[in-house]
């Protein structure tokens, strides 16, 4: 059973890790990748845009990006070539680290591209304002729905953590078994080498008639 501390950690993780909003600089000719651990069947949405260095003017050609979103097994979920802005949304079919990579084409002289990026997954990927507007539901009903979805997310996260724990235990057992086999093999090799050395010394001394 999970204790209160574990539940608190899971809730904090749902509130913080699954929602990223950041701004960063990218030099022309360089690549920056951002990863997010997402469990299977979880929804994720993201959007990105290049900050125009000259407000009121068109975006310069040096401030365009190539963007790719890949799954843990290398499957593409989004690709944008020579774009200023873009967004993606999908339901994760695989559990693990999903990666978003931004690449700024090389230019002379080099340019610095500033990017606004927002990435939300799980509970945070849902547009609650849109749900309220479409359904015309009362505030209390909306709050109850949020709480219900939060409980479901925590429940799913618990089982996901249990699965990861089982995987790590299996990996540890497998590693311990392999290490034990390697240790035994190393011991046998050492004993064999020691035996060969003794045999060689005995043969050498007998040949020299020292024994």
């Amino acid at each position: 059973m999970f204790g209160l501390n574990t539940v608190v950690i899971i809730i904090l993780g749902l509130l913080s890790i699954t929602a990223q909003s950041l701004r960063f600089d990218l030099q022309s000719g360089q690549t920056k990748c951002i990863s997010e651990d997402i469990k299977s069947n979880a929804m994720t949405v993201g959007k990105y845009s290049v900050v125009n260095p000259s407000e009121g003017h068109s975006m310069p050609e040096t401030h365009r990006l190539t963007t790719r979103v890949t799954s843990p097994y290398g499957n593409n979920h989004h690709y944008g070539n020579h774009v200023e802005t873009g967004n993606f949304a999908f339901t994760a079919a695989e559990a693990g680290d999903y990666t978003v990579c931004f690449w700024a084409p090389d230019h002379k002289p080099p340019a610095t591209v500033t990017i606004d990026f927002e990435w939300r997954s799980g509970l945070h990927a849902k547009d609650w304002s849109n749900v309220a507007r479409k359904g015309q539901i009362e505030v209390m009903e909306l709050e109850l729905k949020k709480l219900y979805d939060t409980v479901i997310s925590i429940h799913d996260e618990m089982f996901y953590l249990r699965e990861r724990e089982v995987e790590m235990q299996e990996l540890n057992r497998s590693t311990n078994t392999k290490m034990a086999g390697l240790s035994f093999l190393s011991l046998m090799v050492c004993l064999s080498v020691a035996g060969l050395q003794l045999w060689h010394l005995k043969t050498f001394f007998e040949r020299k008639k020292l024994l």
Side-chain angles (χ1 to χ4, degrees), residues 31-99:
T31 302
K32 181 177 181 63
C33 295
I34 301 172
S35 296
E36 174 78 18
D37 185 15
I38 303 175
K39 62 178 182 291
S40 60
N41 297 322
M43 183 180 179
T44 184
V45 297
K47 59 182 179 180
Y48 56 91
S49 60
V50 177
V51 178
N52 195 336
S54 302
E55 197 69 33
H57 296 80
S58 60
M59 187 77 70
E61 286 295 318
T62 57
H63 285 59
R64 295 181 183 272
L65 302 170
T66 295
T67 309
R68 187 187 299 273
V69 182
T70 56
S71 72
Y73 296 106
N75 297 318
N76 284 337
H77 287 280
H78 173 76
Y79 178 74
N81 185 28
H82 202 61
V83 296
E84 303 172 7
T85 183
N87 55 73
F88 57 87
F90 59 88
T91 300
E94 310 153 11
D97 288 333
Y98 285 74
T99 305

Side-chain angles (χ1 to χ4, degrees), residues 140-158:
M140 183 62 70
E141 292 176 326
L142 179 60
E143 292 300 323
L144 288 174
K145 182 171 178 57
K146 286 183 180 181
L147 289 174
Y148 175 77
D149 283 354
T150 301
V151 171
I152 295 299
S153 297
I154 294 173
H155 180 268
D156 292 342
E157 189 72 17
M158 283 180 168

Side-chain angles (χ1 to χ4, degrees), residues 190-204:
C190 291
L191 291 176
S192 299
V193 171
L196 287 173
Q197 289 178 336
L198 290 174
W199 176 80
H200 177 73
L201 289 173
K202 181 180 179 183
T203 304
F204 175 78

